[in-house]
Amino acid sequence: MGLPVGSPMPEFSLKDQEGNWFHSNDHVGKAPLVIFFYPKDFTPGCTAEACAFRDHYEDFTEAGALVVGISSDSQDSHRSFSKRHRLPFILLSDPDRKARKQFRVENRFLNLLPGRETFVVDRNGVVVMAFEGMRASGHVQNALKAIKNL
């Protein structure tokens, strides 16, 4: 399991699918964050998860939350993935897996597949929910419940 509830969000800076820098600290004090780590663009489970976040995106934004997906895929891959599936949220490229390590998201299946974990961080920068599961289901529902409880 990754970073435990009650931990401060790690400081990280990554580029999004458009090549813009995303600095985690820029969002502390402004809005809660939903950060989901997923293994790979265009795979069936990851596509299902990303599309589930897309389908509930309005629920998150109405609650004032910012949704961010992170994988080690390139910015170009993220741009194609986002365009093909009409994803309205930010996808961050973590090629060196630094953010993944900071959030303690471990590999699964004989250490071959990057883990799938979702975190909700309140506007004060504290992790208030951590959900781990290789199946795509459950991530959106748990994150939405945590956001509504803030």
Side-chain angles (χ1 to χ4, degrees):
M1 189 78 163
L3 207 57
V5 169
S7 300
M9 175 180 61
E11 182 179 341
F12 65 92
S13 295
L14 298 170
K15 286 195 174 182
D16 70 13
Q17 69 264 37
E18 301 302 327
N20 301 311
W21 282 102
F22 178 95
H23 305 286
S24 61
N25 281 353
D26 288 349
H27 301 279
V28 175
K30 295 180 181 173
L33 297 172
V34 176
I35 302 171
F36 69 99
F37 287 87
Y38 65 101
K40 189 151 184 63
D41 293 341
F42 297 106
T43 58
C46 296
T47 299
E49 181 181 20
C51 289
F53 274 106
R54 176 200 64 205
D55 295 346
H56 290 279
Y57 182 72
E58 190 172 305
D59 297 327
F60 287 108
T61 58
E62 284 178 0
L66 179 64
V67 177
V68 178
I70 302 175
S71 81
S72 61
D73 291 301
S74 70
Q75 294 168 45
D76 288 340
S77 178
H78 281 341
R79 192 169 31 257
S80 295
F81 186 55
S82 181
K83 185 176 180 179
R84 178 177 293 171
H85 298 289
R86 301 177 326 279
L87 305 178
F89 46 81
I90 297 166
L91 295 178
L92 299 176
S93 181
D94 186 21
D96 299 325
R97 299 182 180 184
K98 288 180 183 177
R100 184 174 288 275
K101 290 173 188 165
Q102 289 176 293
F103 278 84
R104 301 182 197 164
V105 178
E106 297 178 3
N107 287 350
R108 301 287 182 235
F109 298 116
L110 303 173
N111 209 31
L112 298 173
L113 186 64
R116 182 187 312 276
E117 294 193 37
T118 299
F119 300 89
V120 173
V121 178
D122 70 13
R123 66 179 29 121
N124 297 315
V126 177
V127 175
V128 296
M129 188 222 71
F131 180 78
E132 185 269 329
M134 284 311 292
R135 293 185 182 176
S137 63
H139 289 265
V140 170
Q141 293 78 11
N142 281 289
L144 199 50
K145 182 178 176 183
I147 286 294
K148 288 182 177 181
N149 286 331
L150 289 178

